[in-house]
Amino acid sequence: MAESSPVLEVDNLVKHYPIRKGVFGREVGRVHAVDGVSFTLWPGRSLGLVGESGSGKTTAGRAAMRLIEPTSGDVRIAGEPVTAATGRRTLARRIAMVFQDPMGSLNPRLSAAANVAEPLRIHRIGDPRSRRQRAVELLEQVGLRADLAERVPAEFSGGQRQRIGIARALALSPQVIVLDEPVSALDVSVQAQVLNLLGRLQEELGVAFLFISHDLSVVRHVCDQVAVMYLGTIVEIGSREQIYQDPRHPYTQALLSAVPIPDPTVERERIILGGDLPNPVDPPAGCRFQGRCPKVQQVCIDTNPELVVRSAGGQAVACHFADDNAVEGESR
Amino acid sequence: MTTTDTAVAPPTQPRVARAGVVGKFLRSTTGPIGAGVMGILLLVALGADLIAPYDPLARAGAALQQPGGEFWFGTDELGRDIFSRVVHGTRLSLQTAVGAAAFAGVVGLPLGVLAGYVGGATDAILMRITDFVLAVPGILFALVVVAVLGSGVWNLTLAIGIGATPTFIRLARASTLSLREQEYVLAARSMGASPFDIMARTITPNIMGPIIVQIIVTASVAILVAAALSFVGLGTPPPAPSWGGMLQSSRAYLFQQVWYAVLPGVVLAVTIAALDAIGRGMQVALGTRTAGRAKVGGMG
Amino acid sequence: MATDPELIFAIDDLIVEFDTPEGVVRAVDGSGYQVSPGETLAVVGETGSGKSVTVLAALGLLDGGRIVSGTVTFDGQDLLRMPDRRRRRLLGSALTMVFQNPMSALNPVVRIGHQIAEVLRVHDRSLNKAAARRRSIELLERVGVPQAEIRHDQYPHQFSGGMLQRVVIAMAVANDPKVIIADEPTTAVDVTVQAQLLDLLRVAREETGAAVVMITHDLGVVAEVADRVAVMYAGRIVESGPVREIFAEPRHPYTVGLLACLPRLDQDIAELTPIPGAPPDLRHLPDGCAFHPRCTLSRGREQCQEQRPPLLAVAENGEPAVASACHFHDEVAAWAQEGTTADPDENGGQHG
């Protein structure tokens, strides 16, 4: 696999939803769900898209695979531009998706094998017999025995259902899999099984993951690259080491400090942010984080900081004071 | 088998889901009774020629005879065997019921799914049409259609079928709308499935539950409406042995031959009750009507 | 032990059953714990562990289930055997709850301030309108609701989830409670809001001196807020003790497994060590120890399959002691050391 060329490039992706009111559907505002998001995904690697609810991470993931039509922005898969004309069929062979709710994302009327074979049927690959055989192979690949293949989703546990969802995503041998909160509906003891499975599959198949999650501990475990989203934009992006050990954006710092660590002996300084995530309808002109930022200055209210590369390692931060924000001692 | 990780655990749920609906239907209180009665009625309809001892249309003996060994439920004013006429009437009634329900289902289901999934102008136009049809009472609507097309079994069936279609469109549309938000529909889109594929293979099978219940309801409405129209002389024209027609002509002879009215009336009532029982059983089986409480929810 | 004056709230040997179409399900099977004033106890467990059912049953709030046996003592009184009216008066004043979904505690069509005033009146019936308003606004300010004067007159739908949870906490502390029970209070909110709420609960406990029972699935939250922890599995407490000791040296294989399978924010872990199998199906619980099918320490030992291990104190040095419900608790430490990675039994999750 050529490490040199990216498998997914997303450039300045925007998704706005107009808010209409009244009889004539006059536009009274716009939800800036995703507002200029760019990232690059490399073969066999994982990029984590983290953020809280309303950060736009799910919308960004879906717009990147054109499951929803972006307002603007360019997407290239393996160098080829993807446009509205490309069509979902062509796209589906290169980029697949795993959903959060393993029960809700499987067709309840189809057996495990039939669910996994759906993409093959839709793309008219093979005959029913060979499709079934391939589905059983895929199920075994994700750790489900062949004798369970004929059972319907309701007969499986949550973790097993998510395995079926993963097997289905693998069916067309995609280059990229978008995983939207794939383990957040699972119990912790089962979550580890699925995370290990994902790691093993990536090693074996060289598939790239766009891993969307609110769980920073999980993202640290899975991803090589991490993008932190706030209110529709990426505020910081970098390697795992950069983001977790040397976060430069005040939001990233606060987010990391807010995650409870399952170790009572760890003493940390906690940054407690005021307020909630603001409404993504017509966000403020300046920095989007201004309302909650503990370090806010006049310049933050006046101008929106660009996402600029701040270090040799390629860590980019959207903060006017990114260079001053190096954590007091890189102690974590 | 290249599996290295460990969790090849068997499912934690017992295998109830697949055989579930049929099993629950059979375990419901009313379902099996209704199904049994309908089964018998269906056999009667199919084997009418074998079961009926006399030709339903021909004179078999003296007029208005009382029940006896020769004529089990007596004869009508034209000397025809009442039992034979009711048996053949079963065939007529079920024909209308099946025909009307099938028409409404076959036309209404795809239109409703289309309206729900595609939305926009298609949806708006279909909804205005259904609004219009639904605004007119069903029986009045059937009356108009029969008046235009002329009477006859199939015209009657068509009239009732058309009148019942908007309900199917509404139901299919509403079910589709709620399903559209399901992640497995989004998943199908992410796999590159065409809209037609999604409507036909993903949505339709998953909304069949309420549709089947509606088909049962429609069948029973069709039988009632057909009987009512025949009663007022707008349904199946005589001498066809329709239940409604028999009830109408029996009125003049209530005191001479009570069975003339009672037999078709009872059979009609039993048929409707049986269909209702099936409908209730289906609802229990599908979980849209709960038989009791006690669901292990919110544990942990 | 329920008579110990030090214990403000104690659940003993509670058994709760549900009738389901597939037979009787025992959701809570002899569970119990105690808290002292000023102490925070975390009750941690996965889906179906019975952690919520236990407390709902103890407070008489259970819908559909049946308490088979057990005692619940609050401030020296038997909660299960007192008249409904008296219990209802205790709830919401001396014994308060914070649920996962704040809307379940609030009336959507009544102004926020009104709802707080209602709670205040339970305690002090003579409270007049102006005084109630003043105290409600005071409370809103205390829990960090900005512009409390304006917020006071708004309806729940005008609040965000995090703000509503603050309001619920305000109501929970309004009457100087002796016990606050929080059932997954931060599960539905984002992590930055969670940090605010946990901090708020800590302050509330310090100010009121109440005992806090925190029900959660998140071991991070446990480590963050609790003094003691009780780990539940399949309707029973399998391990309990001081947080630091349990996290440092767990004495039950399930606790070991839970801690080992977590991805960490502060550490790189090459490969996680999952617990094999799935959380138990209460309709088909195995004989003996409910955890044995998933347990790599048991490895099919007969005792685990046949005898249900009681919850017994295992470490005398600690005060209060660590208790574990494992036949082989003395082997746990060594087994955890050598690594639980030794590949578990093929049929690891077989239970029904």
Side-chain angles (χ1 to χ4, degrees):
Chain A
M1 197 136 318
E3 279 281 330
S4 50
S5 59
V7 66
L8 176 69
E9 293 159 275
V10 170
D11 198 14
N12 209 8
L13 198 66
V14 173
K15 178 68 189 176
H16 289 176
Y17 293 99
I19 304 168
R20 297 185 190 282
K21 266 204 180 132
V23 197
F24 301 106
R26 196 166 46 89
E27 190 179 314
V28 295
R30 277 171 159 255
V31 178
H32 294 231
V34 175
D35 220 358
V37 161
S38 308
F39 54 81
T40 305
L41 184 58
W42 301 85
R45 310 300 288 275
S46 298
L47 170 69
L49 221 47
V50 301
E52 298 179 277
S53 54
S55 63
K57 57 190 190 300
T58 292
T59 311
R62 289 182 182 180
M65 66 181 294
R66 294 217 171 232
L67 207 48
I68 48 183
E69 196 54 37
T71 308
S72 66
D74 297 319
V75 176
R76 281 185 300 281
I77 294 187
E80 290 172 39
V82 176
T83 64
T86 312
R88 282 233 42 80
R89 279 186 78 81
T90 329
L91 217 52
R93 289 180 163 242
R94 312 196 124 181
I95 185 162
M97 187 152 187
V98 172
F99 295 84
Q100 170 173 5
D101 174 6
M103 186 65 203
S105 61
L106 297 174
N107 189 329
R109 303 219 147 237
L110 299 181
S111 69
N115 261 302
V116 173
E118 270 292 274
L120 300 169
R121 183 190 65 75
I122 288 165
H123 291 266
R124 304 203 182 85
I125 295 167
D127 54 82
R129 261 184 74 95
S130 68
R131 287 202 287 260
R132 207 201 103 86
Q133 199 186 341
R134 175 83 182 115
V136 171
E137 280 169 26
L138 285 162
L139 286 171
E140 283 178 344
Q141 198 173 7
V142 299
L144 287 171
R145 292 194 319 257
D147 59 304
L148 304 176
E150 287 314 309
R151 303 195 171 187
V152 294
E155 296 175 88
F156 290 93
S157 69
Q160 290 172 320
R161 284 179 203 138
Q162 198 56 296
R163 286 168 191 265
I164 299 169
I166 293 166
R168 178 176 66 182
L170 294 175
L172 296 172
S173 311
Q175 290 158 295
V176 179
I177 299 181
V178 177
L179 300 120
D180 190 355
E181 302 272 10
V183 295
S184 49
L186 305 177
D187 274 314
V188 284
S189 71
V190 177
Q191 173 180 303
Q193 297 170 2
V194 174
L195 291 176
N196 281 352
L197 171 70
L198 288 172
R200 177 169 64 74
L201 290 172
Q202 184 164 57
E203 221 164 83
E204 286 172 15
L205 305 171
V207 59
F209 290 155
L210 180 60
F211 195 97
I212 300 164
S213 178
H214 72 282
D215 188 327
L216 287 126
S217 308
V218 168
V219 167
R220 173 177 178 140
H221 183 72
V222 175
C223 300
D224 322 290
Q225 292 274 117
V226 181
V228 181
M229 285 190 71
Y230 188 81
L231 221 56
T233 61
I234 292 178
V235 294
E236 182 161 11
I237 184 166
S239 70
R240 167 176 45 204
E241 289 70 27
Q242 288 164 345
I243 297 294
Y244 284 87
Q245 274 150 42
D246 186 18
R248 295 294 181 92
H249 196 284
Y251 178 64
T252 314
Q253 293 172 351
L255 199 59
L256 287 169
S257 85
V259 177
I261 290 178
D263 184 347
T265 58
V266 173
E267 297 284 342
R268 287 186 306 166
E269 190 143 337
R270 189 163 256 191
I271 308 163
I272 293 187
L273 292 177
D276 297 328
L277 211 66
N279 200 328
V281 180
D282 300 321
C287 176
R288 303 207 158 185
F289 189 52
Q290 57 176 269
R292 297 175 80 192
C293 185
K295 302 175 177 172
V296 63
Q297 305 282 322
Q298 187 58 38
V299 63
C300 308
I301 294 159
D302 298 337
T303 39
N304 189 21
E306 297 285 317
L307 185 66
V308 184
V309 175
R310 297 286 175 170
S311 71
Q315 181 175 10
V317 189
C319 176
H320 295 299
F321 305 102
D323 296 327
D324 314 334
N325 286 345
V327 191
E328 304 78 27
E330 294 193 2
S331 57
R332 21 167 173 148
Chain B
M1 288 259 237
T2 54
T3 53
T4 51
D5 56 332
T6 53
V8 200
T12 51
Q13 265 92 12
R15 307 205 56 193
V16 288
R18 190 99 45 97
V21 175
V22 178
K24 279 189 211 151
F25 177 77
L26 291 177
R27 265 178 278 135
S28 69
T29 15
T30 59
I33 301 172
V37 173
M38 268 328 282
I40 294 169
L41 286 168
L42 218 58
L43 285 179
V44 168
L46 291 173
D49 296 317
L50 302 171
I51 295 164
Y54 300 95
D55 182 341
L57 303 179
R59 187 179 189 91
L64 296 174
Q65 285 193 53
Q66 290 303 314
E70 200 179 348
F71 303 105
W72 297 340
F73 289 89
T75 58
D76 65 6
E77 76 276 22
L78 297 174
R80 295 171 298 196
D81 179 36
I82 288 173
F83 178 70
S84 300
R85 282 181 69 75
V86 170
V87 166
H88 279 273
T90 309
R91 179 182 278 181
L92 267 183
S93 277
L94 294 194
Q95 253 174 22
T96 309
V98 171
F103 177 88
V106 167
V107 175
L109 174 63
L111 285 179
V113 171
L114 188 73
Y117 189 73
V118 178
T122 317
D123 184 29
I125 293 167
L126 276 167
M127 282 306 101
R128 291 300 80 74
I129 296 174
T130 60
D131 281 347
F132 174 73
V133 178
L134 283 172
V136 183
I139 193 149
L140 206 66
F141 186 82
L143 263 172
V144 173
V145 175
V146 170
V148 173
L149 297 178
S151 55
V153 187
W154 291 115
N155 285 348
L156 180 67
T157 306
L158 186 67
I160 298 170
I162 293 173
T165 304
T167 316
F168 278 86
I169 299 181
R170 283 292 172 104
L171 183 66
R173 176 179 177 269
S175 314
T176 304
L177 282 179
S178 66
L179 226 64
R180 237 170 64 144
E181 307 305 318
Q182 290 289 324
E183 276 197 334
Y184 59 84
V185 174
L186 193 65
R189 281 181 54 213
S190 81
M191 294 174 229
S194 65
F196 176 79
D197 192 293
I198 291 174
M199 286 188 272
R201 301 260 323 185
T202 307
I203 292 180
T204 303
N206 281 297
I207 65 171
M208 279 318 282
I211 293 290
I212 288 171
V213 172
Q214 187 59 31
I215 283 178
I216 307 282
V217 171
T218 305
S220 95
V221 169
I223 290 174
L224 278 175
V225 171
L229 285 176
S230 299
F231 188 80
V232 297
L234 281 165
T236 331
S242 71
W243 294 343
M246 291 177 75
L247 284 170
Q248 156 66 18
S249 24
S250 72
R251 288 197 312 153
Y253 312 101
L254 263 183
F255 296 103
Q256 289 109 305
Q257 218 304 35
V258 71
W259 289 101
Y260 192 1
V262 168
L263 188 64
V266 167
V267 176
L268 176 64
V270 166
T271 311
I272 301 300
L275 284 170
D276 186 56
I278 294 177
R280 280 165 190 271
M282 288 292 308
Q283 283 176 308
V284 171
L286 294 166
T288 41
R289 173 195 288 266
T290 41
R293 42 167 207 161
K295 221 183 138 199
V296 192
M299 265 188 211
Chain C
M1 52 165 67
T3 49
D4 188 338
E6 272 294 286
L7 300 174
I8 184 76
F9 181 67
I11 300 175
D12 275 303
D13 226 0
L14 196 67
I15 296 179
V16 181
E17 290 180 345
F18 287 81
D19 292 320
T20 75
E22 285 151 74
V24 174
V25 164
R26 189 166 275 205
V28 178
D29 192 7
S31 155
Y33 42 77
Q34 304 84 31
V35 273
S36 318
E39 176 190 50
T40 299
L41 169 77
V43 182
V44 66
E46 297 180 278
T47 313
S49 63
K51 58 189 190 297
S52 289
V53 180
T54 301
V55 84
L56 288 175
L59 303 188
L61 299 173
L62 199 59
D63 193 20
R66 165 176 76 240
I67 296 169
V68 177
S69 66
T71 54
V72 179
T73 321
F74 169 72
D75 205 8
Q77 310 164 71
D78 187 342
L79 263 189
L80 292 181
R81 280 158 201 88
M82 74 171 56
D84 276 358
R85 247 181 79 86
R86 242 182 81 206
R87 185 171 55 221
R88 276 201 301 272
R89 287 210 51 190
L90 281 179
L91 295 179
S93 55
L95 178 57
T96 58
M97 282 205 75
V98 178
F99 292 100
Q100 175 176 343
N101 176 8
M103 278 311 285
S104 64
L106 294 167
N107 185 338
V109 297
V110 177
R111 292 176 201 275
I112 289 292
H114 234 84
Q115 304 197 44
I116 300 174
E118 278 299 302
V119 173
L120 289 169
R121 276 206 198 89
V122 171
H123 200 64
D124 180 7
R125 290 179 185 229
S126 61
L127 203 65
N128 67 32
K129 221 172 161 187
R133 184 186 168 86
R134 212 171 47 240
R135 288 211 35 209
S136 306
I137 291 173
E138 229 175 76
L139 271 168
L140 285 175
E141 278 166 353
R142 213 169 111 196
V143 296
V145 172
Q147 297 170 295
E149 292 263 356
I150 299 167
R151 289 305 210 171
H152 180 273
D153 295 325
Q154 289 184 335
Y155 292 94
H157 71 89
Q158 291 167 295
F159 285 63
S160 70
M163 276 300 153
L164 278 186
Q165 200 63 298
R166 284 172 185 265
V167 171
V168 173
I169 292 172
M171 288 160 72
V173 299
N175 291 327
D176 288 322
K178 292 181 173 167
V179 176
I180 301 171
I181 293 169
D183 187 358
E184 303 265 13
T186 59
T187 303
V189 300
D190 283 308
V191 57
T192 54
V193 178
Q194 166 171 291
Q196 299 167 2
L197 292 176
L198 292 180
D199 197 47
L200 185 60
L201 275 170
R202 183 182 54 76
V203 173
R205 184 194 67 176
E206 282 166 7
E207 285 179 3
T208 59
V212 175
V213 178
M214 169 80 84
I215 296 158
T216 180
H217 68 280
D218 187 335
L219 286 162
V221 171
V222 176
E224 204 82 31
V225 303
D227 305 309
R228 279 194 309 125
V229 58
V231 183
M232 280 193 79
Y233 189 82
R236 292 168 63 81
I237 307 279
V238 293
E239 180 163 14
S240 69
V243 166
R244 277 172 183 263
E245 285 184 40
I246 300 279
F247 276 68
E249 196 188 340
R251 302 301 186 96
H252 194 283
Y254 177 61
T255 317
V256 174
L258 270 187
L259 288 167
C261 72
L262 284 179
R264 293 281 294 257
L265 188 76
D266 56 342
Q267 287 171 18
D268 283 325
I269 301 167
E271 182 150 18
L272 303 172
T273 312
I275 302 176
D281 178 355
L282 296 174
R283 292 166 296 189
H284 306 277
L285 281 184
D287 289 334
C289 171
F291 187 62
H292 87 254
R294 303 177 73 188
C295 183
T296 54
L297 173 63
S298 162
R299 287 193 157 277
R301 278 194 261 200
E302 237 168 63
Q303 198 180 354
C304 302
Q305 292 171 15
E306 286 164 7
Q307 285 174 30
R308 204 164 70 173
L311 182 68
L312 296 174
V314 294
E316 286 79 31
N317 51 340
E319 170 83 34
V322 173
S324 164
C326 176
H327 292 303
F328 303 102
H329 57 79
D330 47 348
E331 294 177 25
V332 171
W335 163 79
Q337 278 296 314
E338 94 195 18
T340 48
T341 39
D343 61 305
D345 199 358
E346 236 309 285
N347 295 324
Q350 196 108 37
H351 49 69

